[in-house]
Amino acid sequence: MKELTKAEEQVMQVIWKIGQGFANEIMAAFPEPKPAYNTVLTTIKILEAKGFVKHETFCRFHRYQAVISKEEYSKHFLGSVVERYFNNSYLDLVSAFAKKENFKLEELEALKKLIDEAIHNEKNKQA
């Protein structure tokens, strides 16, 4: 899976948010300042070529929707970041976040709960 450019990711974020839509609906969902209409259409065509987006045609209009879910892309992208910046170690990634000085207690407790659940699930798989 190819990595998205910043512009491509911005368009995908909108498409993921609205589910599917015509170009004018995609444009309407952008926050201000909105990019140029032609820029968005060009980016959508690039996303189609990369296999991230597909369209259905209604008369002369195309309705676009994501082919790759936000979760799929996030998982792939995170794996790529872990590989490049954290020696391919999720432990190093979590350690970097845990050492961050401005972590709130609630966030650390939520992280601990997620880790405890993951440990429990792994133990059940092995049993």
Side-chain angles (χ1 to χ4, degrees):
M1 179 183 308
K2 295 181 181 179
E3 235 173 85
L4 297 172
T5 66
K6 184 176 178 180
E8 292 165 352
E9 187 175 335
Q10 288 172 333
V11 172
M12 284 305 300
Q13 290 289 352
V14 170
I15 294 171
W16 285 324
K17 180 181 173 184
I18 66 173
Q20 63 181 7
F22 295 96
N24 62 337
E25 294 170 322
I26 293 170
M27 284 299 300
F30 265 94
E32 293 294 338
K34 295 183 186 302
Y37 184 83
N38 287 341
T39 302
V40 172
L41 284 181
T42 300
T43 303
I44 290 172
K45 288 181 197 290
I46 293 167
L47 288 166
E48 279 191 285
K50 286 184 170 183
F52 280 85
V53 171
K54 67 179 180 179
H55 75 268
E56 268 184 282
T57 303
F58 297 89
C59 295
R60 301 176 328 170
F61 302 100
H62 299 297
R63 183 175 63 193
Y64 301 97
Q65 68 182 60
V67 172
I68 295 172
S69 72
K70 185 175 184 177
E71 291 74 24
E72 285 176 275
Y73 184 71
S74 297
K75 185 177 178 181
H76 169 78
F77 184 73
L78 181 58
S80 177
V81 168
V82 169
E83 183 180 319
R84 289 185 306 209
Y85 298 102
F86 295 97
N87 302 318
N88 210 22
S89 167
Y90 283 93
L91 178 59
D92 288 353
L93 170 72
V94 173
S95 295
F97 282 109
K99 292 174 185 173
K100 189 174 137 185
E101 291 182 35
N102 59 350
F103 243 110
K104 295 177 184 161
L105 179 60
E106 303 83 36
E107 292 172 326
L108 287 170
E109 288 172 342
L111 181 59
K112 182 183 181 304
K113 182 179 176 185
L114 288 171
I115 291 170
D116 289 343
E117 288 172 5
I119 290 169
H120 178 76
N121 290 339
E122 278 300 311
K123 284 182 179 178
N124 285 341
K125 282 183 195 176
Q126 294 175 4

